[in-house]
Amino acid sequence: MRRIAFINEKGGTCKTTLAVNTAAWLARDRGLKVLLVDLDTQGHAGKSLGLDVRTLPRNVFHLLTDPSVRLEDVVRPSAIEGLSVLPAYKEMADFPLVVANDERRAHRLAERLAPAEAAGFDVIVFDAPPSMGITTRNILVAATEVVVPVGLTYFALDGCAEVADTVRQVAESEGRPDLRITKVVPTLYRRTALATAILERLKSYFPESLAATPLGYNVKVDEAQSHGKTIWEYAPSSTGARMLGAIAAEIYGESAKKRGKKASRVA
C-alpha cells in the first residue's frame, strides 16, 4: 500500500489542492481505492470534497486520541467512486498537547491507520498542516514517500530545504531508509524572471525528482474548491485539469511517454 504525504512547512503552496486532486485522479483515472487523510486544523481537504467538517461528530483527532474510535467510524465516502476521506477540523490543534507524554506519540497515526490495508485501500494520501511539528512527524512515520509542493516565491527554497532535512532526520531516527522525497512540484508558476530563476535552482537541487509540469494559476481550480468539488467533477477539460492530471500521473510514476502510449491504446 503506497502512502504518499504532501508536506511543506510553508502555507499557501497549493499543498491541499495537489493532495485532493491527486487522490481523486488515482481513484477516478486509475481505479484505485484511495483514502485521503486530512491532518490540518482548517479541514480544507474534506471541504474540497463537499464535506461539512464542522458538523461531523468525529474526525481524525478522535481516531488518534480515543482508542475506542475505529477507522471505519470516521472515514467518509466522497462523490468520486473509490475515494474516501478521513476529515480533520480545529480539534487537531490540541493533538500535540494530548500526546505530549506518550513516548510513542510520533507513531499514533501509523498505528491507527494499520487497518487501512486490510480494508482494501491501495493508497493513502496525507494532507499535512503547514508546520513541522508532531503532527507532521506522525505523517512522516506513517508515509512511504513524500511530495513537496514548492511555491515559486522568494523563500521557497528555504522551506524546501527544511522539509528535505526533516525527511532525512526521520528516515534515520526511525530506521526508514526507504522514506524519501519522490517528487518536488513547483506551484504558483508565472512567467516571471524570479519564478524562472527559482525553477532553475530547483532543477539543480532535485534533478531526478522535480516534476516536469509546474502548477500555474487557473481560476477553475479555485472555483471547483469553492463548490466542494475536485477539478475532475467541475471542469475536467480545463487547463487546471490538464496540469493537475499531468502532475498526478508523475506522482503515480507514469512518464509523459508512457501516458502518451496509454492514451493511444485507449483511443
Side-chain angles (χ1 to χ4, degrees):
M1 183 174 60
R2 292 180 65 178
R3 302 188 293 277
I4 309 170
F6 287 75
I7 293 177
N8 195 318
E9 68 170 348
K10 287 179 61 61
T13 60
C14 304
K15 176 173 52 58
T16 298
T17 298
L18 287 170
V20 171
N21 285 285
T22 297
W25 184 91
L26 291 170
R28 177 181 179 273
D29 284 56
R30 294 299 174 265
L32 301 175
K33 187 175 180 181
V34 183
L35 177 61
L36 174 64
V37 180
D38 190 2
L39 289 131
D40 191 358
T41 58
Q42 298 176 94
H44 283 171
K47 292 176 182 177
S48 296
L49 293 172
L51 290 180
D52 186 355
V53 297
R54 298 168 300 176
T55 62
L56 296 176
R58 288 173 293 200
N59 56 44
V60 68
F61 172 78
H62 302 96
L63 178 69
L64 294 176
T65 59
D66 185 346
S68 69
V69 176
R70 301 168 301 172
L71 183 62
E72 58 265 35
D73 295 332
V74 286
V75 169
R76 298 282 185 263
S78 76
I80 295 178
E81 185 177 358
L83 175 60
S84 300
V85 61
L86 178 48
Y89 197 42
K90 59 185 179 181
E91 295 93 342
M92 274 304 295
D94 295 329
F95 177 67
L97 294 175
V98 174
V99 300
N101 296 322
D102 182 3
E103 292 183 356
R104 290 186 56 79
R105 56 187 174 274
H107 295 256
R108 286 282 184 104
L109 183 62
E111 291 170 355
R112 299 300 279 147
L113 289 178
E117 191 163 8
F121 287 103
D122 301 299
V123 183
I124 298 178
V125 173
F126 300 96
D127 184 22
S131 69
M132 298 305 291
I134 188 60
T135 300
T136 298
R137 191 174 182 90
N138 264 265
I139 295 171
L140 288 172
V141 170
T144 56
E145 53 196 283
V146 177
V147 175
V148 185
V150 183
L152 298 179
T153 59
Y154 182 70
F155 292 112
L157 296 176
D158 285 345
C160 195
E162 290 289 338
V163 175
D165 287 343
T166 302
V167 171
R168 282 193 293 268
Q169 178 192 5
V170 172
E172 292 174 5
S173 64
E174 298 293 336
R176 294 277 310 285
D178 59 321
L179 178 65
R180 66 193 189 283
I181 294 174
T182 54
K183 195 64 63 178
V184 174
V185 182
T187 65
L188 307 176
Y189 177 70
R190 295 176 296 169
R191 294 183 182 277
T192 65
L194 177 61
T196 300
I198 295 172
L199 192 56
E200 287 303 313
R201 291 183 69 182
L202 283 172
K203 287 179 182 177
S204 67
Y205 293 160
F206 301 97
E208 302 298 325
S209 55
L210 186 68
T213 304
L215 179 62
Y217 177 74
N218 180 257
V219 69
K220 293 298 182 184
V221 176
D222 283 348
E223 289 176 0
Q225 292 173 329
S226 72
H227 286 82
K229 295 182 178 181
T230 67
I231 193 66
W232 322 116
E233 300 164 280
Y234 184 77
S237 300
S238 65
T239 299
R242 179 187 59 78
M243 290 187 292
L244 287 165
I247 293 167
E250 284 194 63
I251 292 170
Y252 182 54
E254 295 179 1
S255 67
K257 185 176 181 180
K258 287 181 180 178
R259 293 198 303 275
K261 287 181 178 179
K262 183 173 288 189
S264 299
R265 287 198 299 269
V266 172

